[in-house]
Amino acid sequence: LPASERFSPDGTPLKVIGKDVSEKLVFEPARIAVIEYHRLRYGLDSGDPVKTAPPEPSIIPKGIATASLVAQVVTSKYADALPLYRQVQIFDRLDIDISRGTMGRWVIQASQACQPVWNILQDRLLASAYVSCDETPVQVLKEKGRAAENKSYMWVRATPSAPHPIVLFEYDPHRSGEVAKRLFVDYQGYLQADGYGAYNFLETIEGVTRFGCNMHGRRKFFEAEEGALSGRTLAEQGLKYYKILYELEDRAKQKAMDWPERFALRMREALPVWKEMKIWAQDNVARVPPQSKIGKALHYFLGQYSALIAYLYDGMVEMDNGFAERAIKQFAIGRNNWLFSDTPAGAHASSLFYSFIVTAKLNGVNPYQALKTIFELVPRAKTLQDFESVADLLLYPIKPT
């Protein structure tokens, strides 16, 4: 207080007896620094140098970008959905001239260097007992033999019940069964996908059990209910059945049931609902036009029934493919901003870095810190064990020292 105010009402001088502390956040803009690397040259007293110290291993050899800078560019684009042209504007405000093309080359180079890490994640995913899969469109402008407006696809595989989940994005120009076969060659275990025909081959492979997606089944009844002039009552009944089934799953999660407990709950309460719903669908499917929305919903339900109820018989498996669909939403947010990939190499780079960032987030890992460390270690990695350790950075949060 000012000296004139340090008195009580009766004139007694006041003294300091304590203090109140408050905190406020201060923002300091990013700071760019330049690091000089000095490589010593060795030789004789006369003549040309004989030897020079090797360059520092770098994720971008012979480039100006460090691991931290490339990690910032990648995180901004794929975690924060900032297209490269917007990052150019941000760097301009820092008086740094980095073109969109330069950053694009960094992203592609870094992704190519990190391919062994992605391969290790894929090996671990395919060794899992339970994998889910989905796909979503992506546009690539300069693709050989294809028009710019043609749809290409980002396929997504995930491990919903793993203690340390993995999500892998993979770019392919096509959505055919041949792609699905390639993605799951030699896979053994549970595989969850929607009713898309590309996955039908799974039913013929010994050791693979296919599970359907009730999110798709329920969605068709939603579509039949919204805006339909006929069949709305049937659609509402279908949604009532699904509401009961999903409430059972919510109860299991709220009570943190383990897999055997969830299996017991499903057998006791969900299975009777499914049997009643099947009878209801069979009684009504012939009463509606097959091409109507409610007709399509009922035909999908009955045609996929065995796959839709398969989750009942193992508490490890989820009722729907929501885990993979939620991963796709993170890709879709970025796609809405950057709209397309310029080249297939860019699309492949996007698939790799979305894999890294979404996997890191699901495991409570800071994506920027993980990428920065990965970009520092990958140029030095020599053995399979080295790359295994790098892959672990996406699955296990670094404990503070």
Side-chain angles (χ1 to χ4, degrees):
L1 290 174
S4 60
E5 296 182 20
R6 298 177 193 171
F7 297 92
S8 67
D10 63 3
T12 304
L14 300 177
K15 61 181 180 180
V16 175
I17 59 173
K19 62 181 176 181
D20 295 330
V21 178
S22 61
E23 294 181 348
K24 294 182 182 292
L25 290 176
V26 175
F27 176 77
E28 295 183 1
R31 183 177 65 89
I32 301 292
V34 175
I35 298 176
E36 284 190 356
Y37 293 89
H38 293 216
R39 297 166 54 205
L40 298 184
R41 296 192 298 269
Y42 296 83
L44 302 174
D45 291 336
S46 60
D48 295 330
V50 177
K51 293 182 180 179
T52 303
E56 184 77 6
S58 174
I59 194 70
I60 308 295
K62 300 182 180 180
I64 64 170
T66 59
S68 61
L69 180 55
V70 180
Q72 175 63 28
V73 171
V74 171
T75 305
S76 294
K77 179 170 183 178
Y78 299 111
D80 302 328
L82 276 176
L84 295 182
Y85 77 87
R86 293 186 187 171
Q87 295 190 53
V88 170
Q89 297 168 356
I90 293 171
F91 282 119
D92 281 343
R93 291 198 294 270
L94 298 171
D95 294 324
I96 302 297
D97 182 16
I98 305 176
S99 71
R100 177 180 174 276
T102 296
M103 284 189 280
R105 287 192 295 273
W106 290 348
V107 170
I108 291 173
Q109 281 184 269
S111 71
Q112 292 169 343
C114 291
Q115 187 64 46
V117 180
W118 189 96
N119 294 342
I120 287 168
L121 293 176
Q122 177 176 241
D123 291 342
R124 295 181 183 181
L125 179 140
L126 293 176
S128 300
Y130 169 33
V131 174
S132 61
C133 187
D134 207 347
E135 68 288 329
T136 188
V138 63
Q139 188 177 9
V140 179
L141 297 185
K142 300 172 184 175
E143 197 161 26
K144 187 177 180 180
R146 291 167 60 85
E149 60 270 18
N150 284 357
K151 283 185 180 179
S152 295
Y153 290 89
M154 198 68 78
W155 292 71
V156 181
R157 293 171 290 171
T159 56
S161 294
H164 297 280
I166 295 170
V167 175
L168 292 183
F169 291 77
E170 184 160 358
Y171 163 74
D172 196 281
H174 306 289
R175 196 189 176 209
S176 67
E178 292 303 313
V179 181
K181 289 179 182 179
R182 176 177 62 78
L183 294 179
F184 292 102
V185 63
D186 298 329
Y187 176 70
Q188 298 283 285
Y190 295 157
L191 199 151
Q192 190 166 39
D194 58 30
Y196 179 47
Y199 301 107
N200 290 345
F201 78 96
L202 297 167
E203 299 169 6
T204 65
I205 298 178
E206 186 176 354
V208 176
T209 303
R210 181 180 176 182
F211 292 81
C213 174
N214 280 290
M215 188 176 290
H216 281 75
R218 183 177 62 173
R219 189 177 297 146
K220 292 189 179 297
F221 286 108
F222 272 122
E223 292 169 354
E225 182 193 36
E226 294 178 352
L229 297 177
S230 61
R232 180 172 296 176
T233 301
L234 288 176
E236 290 174 349
Q237 181 59 45
L239 291 173
K240 287 180 181 178
Y241 281 121
Y242 264 119
K243 182 180 179 182
I244 296 170
L245 294 166
Y246 271 99
E247 285 177 347
L248 289 174
E249 296 300 303
D250 289 340
R251 190 201 311 171
K253 290 179 181 178
Q254 290 169 3
K255 294 186 176 181
M257 292 184 179
D258 59 22
W259 294 342
E261 289 173 327
R262 188 156 72 161
F263 167 74
L265 175 68
R266 290 169 173 176
M267 290 293 99
R268 185 174 63 251
E269 299 188 41
L271 183 57
V273 177
W274 277 104
K275 290 180 177 179
E276 180 182 326
M277 189 176 181
K278 183 180 181 182
I279 294 172
W280 164 80
Q282 290 171 330
D283 288 344
N284 287 282
V285 68
R287 301 176 183 177
V288 298
Q291 294 305 311
S292 66
K293 289 186 176 181
I294 187 60
K296 291 179 180 179
L298 291 171
H299 278 284
Y300 183 91
F301 175 80
L302 292 172
Q304 293 289 317
Y305 183 78
S306 296
L308 293 176
I309 69 166
Y311 80 97
L312 295 172
Y313 302 102
D314 196 313
M316 175 177 64
V317 181
E318 298 297 330
M319 184 176 172
D320 58 38
N321 208 19
F323 190 88
E325 290 205 7
R326 286 188 292 275
I328 282 179
K329 284 183 180 179
Q330 298 189 57
F331 167 78
I333 291 171
R335 181 183 57 195
N336 289 342
N337 285 330
W338 44 258
L339 300 178
F340 55 82
S341 291
D342 192 45
T343 65
H348 284 296
S350 295
S351 67
L352 184 138
F353 285 128
Y354 272 114
S355 301
F356 284 10
I357 286 172
V358 174
T359 296
K361 286 183 176 181
L362 287 171
N363 288 287
V365 173
N366 181 312
Y368 170 78
Q369 293 295 340
L371 287 172
K372 177 177 177 292
T373 308
I374 287 171
F375 293 161
E376 290 170 347
L377 295 178
V378 161
R380 294 175 169 82
K382 303 296 182 185
T383 67
L384 177 60
Q385 186 176 4
D386 292 338
F387 286 107
E388 291 273 5
S389 298
V390 173
D392 286 342
L393 293 170
L394 297 167
L395 306 178
Y396 303 94
I398 299 175
K399 296 180 180 179
T401 55

